[in-house]
Amino acid sequence: MKRSLQQIAEAVGARLLGEGRVEVSAVASIESASPDDLVFVENEKHLLAALQSRAGAVIAGEFAASVACDRPLLVSDHPKMAFARAARVLRGESPRDVPPLDGAPQQGSAHATAVIHSSVVLGPCVLVEERTVVGERAQIGKNTRIGAGCAIAPGVKIGDHCEIYPNVTMYPGTTLGDRVIVHAGAVLGSDGFGYVRDRKTGHYEKFPQVGRLVIEDDVEIGANATIDRGALDETRIRRGTKIDNLVHIGHNCQIGEDVVIAAQTGLSGSIVIENGVVLGGQVGIGEHARIGEGVMLGGQGGVLPNKVLRGKGVAFWGTPAQPVRQYLKQLATLARLAKK
């Protein structure tokens, strides 16, 4: 939908320089922008390219405030964040909350092929798409969309303003907070990989997997990610964490706030990831390990079971993971030895 630059500036907290009545309808890259698009630049060296593009307006840092140009500017101390929020405004959303979905009926609606138990509680403006099954006593909060082919087990609770994409499966004992996004094919609350070996026969018997999974507000979960419920207690994903595609999180894990986990990472059971941790792609972490607040673990890094990594803002790399400078020194030493 079209919005005036004045509306966008007020919504994202940017300073408007130029004509505020100009309207844009979408965001784009500098290369592909049209006169109806909004673009952004974080670095002064890219400003000229943005100003020479076909974009209707530009979001830029304070470095652009003194530049004379023929098109409106939105000046922000964090242009990329302002651009992301502007994109939400142009999609009909608020940058801090999500209003009712466009076109969603006020009383909620389910496709004719959806199967919803009579005891399910649907909030206002809920939309349930085709072939979805929702089990008894499940609860779905207002302005939430459930995509086609989802399987929502009995007793599952989903908060307000959530977006559940097609073919997501939620097992019993799963709870989602508000504004949670779950991409296609994710499986939430499945049994953990827990077995007990019979010492006499060598056979494995399943350890009880009767806990729950709690996903707090503003979490995003990528396509085909899998998160196991707790064995006896709970697995918890705390507020604001972002999980990429094809990530596996084992039972009893405790993931802190604002954690970022990149694709193909695998976490064994009973791991603690503290607030603000960043895990690169294909990271592997053994059971009962702990990753301290603000640690950054590079791609394909490995943490052995029961180990603890600490150091806010410290980058770790390698297997077993160690501070990146130390790891690179070891690689350089090995390279010199190989030449000899």
Side-chain angles (χ1 to χ4, degrees):
M1 61 178 63
K2 284 197 171 185
R3 299 286 190 186
S4 72
L5 295 180
Q6 184 64 50
Q7 290 175 310
I8 293 173
E10 291 173 358
V12 306
R15 190 166 86 254
L16 175 62
L17 301 179
E19 179 54 65
R21 290 176 295 181
V22 171
E23 292 185 334
V24 292
S25 59
V27 295
S29 68
I30 293 172
E31 294 76 16
S32 63
S34 75
D36 289 329
D37 291 330
L38 182 65
V39 300
F40 83 102
V41 287
E42 283 190 292
N43 193 303
E44 187 172 3
K45 67 182 181 180
H46 300 304
L47 180 60
L48 180 60
L51 296 177
Q52 291 177 343
S53 73
R54 299 177 64 229
V58 179
I59 297 179
E62 290 291 340
F63 55 80
S66 59
V67 175
C69 62
D70 61 353
R71 74 192 63 200
L73 292 173
L74 297 175
V75 177
S76 169
D77 59 357
H78 197 334
K80 191 171 185 178
M81 178 66 75
F83 183 75
R85 291 175 174 169
R88 296 186 64 183
V89 172
L90 291 169
R91 289 199 303 267
E93 305 172 5
S94 161
R96 293 179 178 82
D97 199 1
V98 183
L101 296 164
D102 290 339
Q106 293 300 306
Q107 298 304 317
S109 175
H111 192 273
T113 60
V115 179
I116 302 177
H117 193 273
S118 59
S119 63
V120 171
V121 178
L122 297 180
C125 304
V126 167
L127 181 60
V128 181
E129 296 183 349
E130 58 268 31
R131 297 178 290 100
T132 284
V133 177
V134 185
E136 58 185 311
R137 303 183 315 282
Q139 300 177 27
I140 302 176
K142 63 183 180 182
N143 301 321
T144 285
R145 187 193 302 266
I146 309 295
C150 290
I152 312 298
V156 167
K157 297 179 181 179
I158 302 174
D160 300 342
H161 308 298
C162 294
E163 181 77 23
I164 312 300
Y165 284 90
N167 299 317
V168 168
T169 300
M170 298 186 194
Y171 281 63
T174 298
T175 298
L176 275 64
D178 298 336
R179 300 174 301 279
V180 174
I181 300 172
V182 185
H183 289 276
V187 178
L188 306 181
S190 52
D191 284 4
F193 192 67
Y195 299 90
V196 181
R197 187 172 186 271
D198 188 320
R199 294 173 182 170
K200 295 180 180 178
T201 65
H203 299 321
Y204 288 90
E205 294 191 23
K206 192 177 186 71
F207 189 82
Q209 303 292 315
V210 296
R212 61 184 190 142
L213 169 63
V214 178
I215 296 171
E216 297 183 0
D217 298 346
D218 301 305
V219 169
E220 182 161 358
I221 298 169
N224 295 317
T226 59
I227 306 177
D228 295 342
R229 67 173 178 260
L232 302 177
D233 295 313
E234 70 175 25
T235 300
R236 182 173 288 264
I237 314 297
R238 288 182 169 77
R239 186 209 59 79
T241 283
K242 312 301 181 188
I243 298 170
D244 199 357
N245 303 334
L246 297 168
V247 168
H248 173 69
I249 297 176
H251 59 217
N252 302 332
C253 285
Q254 299 291 312
I255 311 298
E257 296 186 358
D258 297 310
V259 170
V260 175
I261 304 177
Q264 299 184 354
T265 288
L267 306 186
S268 300
S270 302
I271 290 168
V272 176
I273 307 291
E274 297 183 9
N275 297 345
V277 167
V278 176
L279 302 180
Q282 297 186 333
V283 161
I285 302 179
E287 62 185 9
H288 297 282
R290 187 180 194 99
I291 311 300
E293 181 177 359
V295 164
M296 297 179 289
L297 183 54
Q300 297 190 329
V303 180
L304 299 178
N306 301 302
K307 295 297 183 181
V308 178
L309 296 187
R310 295 200 183 278
K312 189 172 183 178
V314 176
F316 289 79
W317 199 20
T319 302
Q322 52 195 305
V324 66
R325 289 184 179 180
Q326 179 179 330
Y327 181 69
L328 292 175
K329 285 181 180 178
Q330 291 177 2
L331 290 179
T333 300
L334 287 173
R336 288 195 296 270
L337 289 173
K339 288 181 181 178
K340 294 180 179 180

